[in-house]
Structure formats: C-alpha cells, structure tokens
Amino acid sequence: MHTVVVGTSGVTASDVLAVARGGARIELSGEAVAALAAAREIVDALAAKPEPVYGVSTGFGALATRHISPELRAQLQRNIVRSHAAGLGPRVEREVVRALMFLRLKTVCSGHTGVRPEVAQTMADVLNAGITPVVHEFGSLGCSGDLAPLSHCALTLMGEGDAEGPDGTVRPAGELLAAHGIAPVELREKEGLALLNGTDGMLGMLIMALADLDRLYKSADITAALSLEALLGTDKVLAPELHAIRPHPGQGASAANMLAVLKGSELTGHHQDDAPRVQDAYSVRCAPQVAGAGRDTMAHARTVAERELASAVDNPVVLSDGRVESNGNFHGAPVAYVLDFLAIAAADLASIAERRTDRLLDKNRSHGLPPFLADDAGVDSGLMIAQYTQAALVSELKRLAVPASADSIPSSAMQEDHVSMGWSAARKLRTAVDNLTRVLAVEMYAATRAIELREGLTPAPASQAAITAARAAGVQGPGPDRFLAPDLAAADAFVRDGRLVAAVEGVTGPLQ
C-alpha cells in the first residue's frame, strides 16, 4: 500500500487524495518527530511560568481572560474538545473526514503547534486503522477554522463519541481504538486547542473538488465537441491562431481539446439548411471561452490550495525563536473565496452545456435532427424530459453559486465577529460538482444519440470511441421510448468515473 510520509514542510495535493480517497498509510518523518518534541519543550516551559499565555494557561475565545491553574489544565483541554464537538445534521463523507484529519496532522507536524509527538502518532494510527470519526454537516463557521468538525475528530482520539470502523459500522470510539490496540490520548496544555483550530475541512474539500473538476472540464470539452459535431457546426472557431490573440491559457487549452476530439470528422461544416450558417450559436461557438475561464479559475484556486498546504494554521503558534503568539491565520477567507468562485464557474459551465442540449432537441435549431431526438415524434417523446432534468440541475447550480463567503455571522460573544463561512462554501461546492457531472452526462447522452442519427456522415474517430465506450457501459443509443432513468444513471457513471475521458484520450492522447 502507498505510504505518505509527513514532515515539517507540508504535504501535496496528491498526498491528500492518496490518504482521503486511496487509503494510503501515514508515517511521521524523524524531522517531524524532532520538531514536535522541540515545540513541546517551549510550551511546557511557558506552562510552568506564572504569566498567562493564551491557549496554554487561559480559557478560549471570549473566555480568554481567565487564568487557569495547573491542576485544571488537563480538564480544560478535554472540555474544549467535548464542548466544541457540537455538530448537527447528516454525517459528512468518509473521504472528507480523512482529509480533515490528515491536514490537521500536517499542521501538527510542522512543529508550530506545541503538540506532543505521541498525539501526532495517535492521529496517524487512527487514520491507518481505517477509523473515521462521525462528523456532522453543520457546526463550522470557517473561523477559527473548522472548529466543530475538528472537535469530533479530536473526540475520537480521546476515545469518546462515535466513529466508523473499517467495516463501515459505527461504534463507540473507545471500542474501536481498543480493537486496534490504540490508547486514547490524555490531552495536555494547548493540545486540545491545537487539534481544533484550522481550515483543514474546507481545504480538503477544495483539493478533492479540484481533482474532480479537472476531469469534468476535460469532459465538458468533449461533450461540447460532440454537440458541435451533432449540430454540423464549424470547427474553424477552434483554430489556435484565433485563441492566440486572446491569450487566456484555459481558453486555448479548451479549444485545443475540442479540436483534437473533432479531428477527422465528416460532420463539421456540413449544412442541411437552404441558407448555410455563417456562425454557430454562442453556446457552441463560445464553448472554449466559457470552459477556459473556468479552467483559469481552477488555476488560481490551485495556487491558493498549494499555499495553504504549505501553511501551519493554528492559534497561538510556536515560533522558531521560542515565542508563542496569537494570530489570525485560522481565518478561512482565502480558501472560502476560491470555493465560491469554483461554484460560480461550475454553474456557468453547466448552463452553457444545457443550452447546447436544448438546441440538439429543438427541430427548429438542430439542423435536420428529429424533434427531441425521438424515434417517432409524437408517439415518442425522446429526450424531452431528460432536458427538464438537466434544466432542474442547472437551476440548482445557479442557487449554489450564491457565495457563502459574502456572509458573516458573529459568534463567541462578539469575539469572533467576522467569519469566513468557508466550510459552507466547500459543502455547496461538493453538491455543485455532483450536479455538474449529471448535467454533462445528459449532454453526452443527447449528443451521442444525435451523432448516430446523422446517417451517411462519419464522426471523428475520438467521437466514435466515446460512443462505442458509452454503449458498452450501458448507455443506450437511438430507439423507441424506454425507461430513461437507467440510461441517464449509466451516462452519469460513465462521466463520473472518467471513462468518457479515457475513451477519447485513447484516440487523441492526453487532453490538456
């Protein structure tokens, strides 16, 4: 099994995906263990002094003015975890919780948190055992990071609360730890706070969304090319020299992908109308510009994610010169903004895909295709209601595009009077990515059927590869009306698991 070694300098997006989705094992580097021990010495020295230090010998948030005596500090750390584990609502997905825990471990291993090495090792042991704390949908305001979700994870380290075992059964966390030979941690000064104070949930969801969107933007270039081909559109608008004079990188990449898919097509540029089209509709002609803008948005979001992966997010932090300082690095604004930006781009990409689908189904705009791509229009309704479903998904995506980060709601007796809502931005982006997948699946389903209805004209080899693979995956072709939901579900799975992209790349080589 793949092993990820966690050091002091952060981790990569690939590491996060390997742990969250691939079940990779985790090891702590010798460098990390040494840094953990050195930072802990600083915290222990401060704890022994009479002067109050936030997070070490004081209360938290609005209660930070109280100095806590040494005999109550272990109780203080237990209490912050218990009281902050206050989530409600549905359970969060296993991959999100694993990313959340792993990214908190990444910051702990930076040597800036003051957590003991044995606590970090227990975090790794829990992940390696396949134990997943039960984390709930609601509870994070994205400042001070993802407090409630991280608290539920810390509760598991203490042997309290509920967790899911590797067999998928939810049991008391103490039982699961005992079954795997893991001793619950006894938290000491600062450790409870250090386990709760980070942007790890929203960052983990950003990294996974970027991985999914990378596949979906390639899928969107493919479905746009299939629709252009089915509509007998012109591929001249994809010429590299046209995109070179507006040099947005994403636009050029999308145009190049579409051109690669369409190479060798006999359908592009043919017209069955009396008056040949001078230009295709915006939804066809401007596909690279819209998808390209989304690609450039993703590039910016990756930059933010990479910076956050290299960060040590905690409050207070242990600095290399021995100081322990309060700070505001836990604020989720940088991550929240790009999560919202990606949801906007996803909504627009879905919107233009739906417009192409509608054009394929309208006999007045499809240039010779039967109404709704039906076998016997009137007797058959064809894909009429498939477009309704797609339109409902697009409408939902537009609602999900309303930014969470533009909101703020004060908390903690006005001590935390401006929050990022980054967790909420991440949660709605996950839904947006799911819905975008479904929208592109409907376009793929309609476009492949339409191409097959263009008798006497041969599609591009890459298009034919997509059609052949889709049919092998249970996505049926033209014919009389049938129970449509299974076909759409098969199309969704075909796009979601990357088989559409793989089929096309088998002909074109890697797409950009």
Side-chain angles (χ1 to χ4, degrees):
M1 182 180 291
H2 179 59
T3 298
V4 172
V5 178
V6 182
T8 60
S9 58
V11 297
T12 66
S14 296
D15 292 335
V16 176
L17 294 170
V19 172
R21 291 179 165 173
R25 291 187 60 79
I26 300 160
E27 291 181 4
L28 308 186
S29 72
E31 172 197 34
V33 172
L36 284 158
R40 186 65 209 180
E41 287 182 7
I42 295 170
V43 170
D44 286 341
L46 289 171
K49 292 182 177 181
E51 297 85 5
V53 178
Y54 176 69
V56 176
S57 53
T58 71
F60 309 113
L63 302 176
T65 54
R66 178 177 172 182
H67 182 256
I68 308 298
S69 60
E71 66 272 12
L72 293 177
R73 290 176 190 169
Q75 182 180 339
L76 170 69
Q77 299 302 319
R78 288 195 300 271
N79 285 350
I80 189 176
V81 173
R82 289 167 175 165
S83 65
H84 285 45
L88 281 175
R91 282 180 57 193
V92 172
E93 303 86 358
R94 182 176 185 270
E95 67 177 17
V96 172
V97 179
R98 286 183 62 82
L100 173 75
M101 286 190 71
F102 176 65
L103 286 167
R104 182 78 317 227
L105 175 61
K106 174 269 298 182
T107 283
V108 164
C109 287
S110 70
H112 290 293
T113 68
V115 168
R116 288 169 294 152
E118 51 264 45
V119 176
Q121 186 59 57
T122 302
M123 296 173 75
D125 291 343
V126 167
L127 284 164
N128 288 341
I131 297 171
T132 307
V134 170
V135 174
H136 299 280
E137 180 82 15
F138 300 104
S140 174
L141 299 179
C143 198
S144 303
D146 296 319
L147 285 172
L150 283 164
S151 297
H152 282 275
C153 294
L155 200 65
T156 294
L157 300 178
M158 292 166 48
E160 300 181 18
D162 293 326
E164 180 185 296
D167 63 354
T169 302
V170 174
R171 296 168 57 190
E175 293 181 10
L176 283 167
L177 295 185
H180 289 84
I182 301 171
V185 297
E186 295 285 344
L187 297 176
R188 288 168 47 179
E189 290 95 343
K190 195 184 178 300
E191 289 180 335
L193 186 61
L195 294 177
L196 314 186
N197 218 334
T199 56
D200 308 290
M202 61 185 92
L203 176 58
M205 286 186 274
L206 171 61
I207 289 165
M208 288 185 283
L210 285 169
D212 294 337
L213 287 168
D214 183 68
R215 181 187 69 253
L216 289 176
Y217 271 84
K218 291 176 184 175
S219 300
D221 293 339
I222 294 167
T223 61
L226 292 170
S227 290
L228 184 152
E229 199 170 17
L231 291 166
L232 307 178
T234 177
D235 59 359
K236 290 183 178 179
V237 296
L238 304 174
E241 57 270 25
L242 294 175
H243 299 278
I245 61 174
R246 195 190 191 194
H248 293 287
Q251 176 180 325
S254 284
N257 284 348
M258 289 182 66
L259 205 57
V261 174
L262 293 169
K263 184 178 181 180
S265 174
E266 292 183 3
L267 280 77
T268 56
H270 285 265
H271 302 287
Q272 292 186 349
D273 310 87
D274 292 334
R277 281 163 285 158
V278 177
Q279 301 181 122
D280 291 310
Y282 282 13
S283 60
V284 178
R285 192 184 351 146
C286 301
Q289 284 77 8
V290 172
R295 284 170 169 270
D296 291 341
T297 301
M298 287 171 59
H300 171 58
R302 277 197 195 92
T303 298
V304 171
E306 288 165 2
R307 291 170 181 160
E308 200 75 359
L309 284 168
S311 301
V313 178
D314 193 18
N315 180 47
V317 292
V318 181
L319 297 175
S320 56
D321 61 7
R323 286 180 295 146
V324 175
E325 297 285 1
S326 293
N327 66 92
N329 284 344
F330 50 74
H331 200 287
V335 183
Y337 292 168
V338 294
L339 288 163
D340 279 333
F341 202 170
L342 289 171
I344 292 169
D348 200 37
L349 187 63
S351 180
I352 197 171
E354 183 275 331
R355 288 294 79 205
R356 290 191 295 263
T357 304
D358 182 67
R359 184 165 290 271
L360 288 166
L361 304 187
D362 184 354
K363 70 180 182 65
N364 296 311
R365 293 179 292 142
S366 66
H367 308 286
L369 291 169
F372 304 106
L373 306 182
D375 186 63
D376 184 3
V379 175
D380 294 314
S381 294
L383 305 191
M384 179 190 295
I385 308 304
Q387 185 268 330
Y388 281 38
T389 299
Q390 192 186 41
L393 289 162
V394 170
S395 185
E396 176 68 8
L397 275 155
K398 291 175 182 177
R399 290 189 288 272
L400 292 166
V402 176
S405 59
D407 184 29
S408 176
I409 189 163
S411 57
S412 193
M414 294 299 288
Q415 177 71 5
E416 299 173 8
D417 58 352
H418 184 275
V419 297
S420 77
M421 302 307 295
W423 174 273
S424 298
R427 296 306 295 167
K428 69 184 183 66
L429 178 59
R430 282 181 70 85
T431 304
V433 169
D434 274 347
N435 286 349
L436 174 60
T437 306
R438 297 176 180 119
V439 168
L440 295 177
V442 175
E443 182 183 17
M444 184 276 299
Y445 184 62
T448 54
R449 177 185 281 213
I451 288 171
E452 288 185 306
L453 290 171
R454 295 289 191 190
E455 296 179 359
L457 294 172
T458 303
S463 301
Q464 186 58 59
I467 294 169
T468 301
R471 302 296 173 253
V475 183
Q476 297 188 50
D481 281 358
R482 54 184 172 266
F483 180 22
L484 201 54
D487 268 17
L488 297 180
D492 178 21
F494 183 66
V495 173
R496 188 176 299 273
D497 63 18
R499 281 176 288 170
L500 171 63
V501 173
V504 168
E505 288 185 331
V507 175
T508 63
L511 297 176
Q512 298 184 46

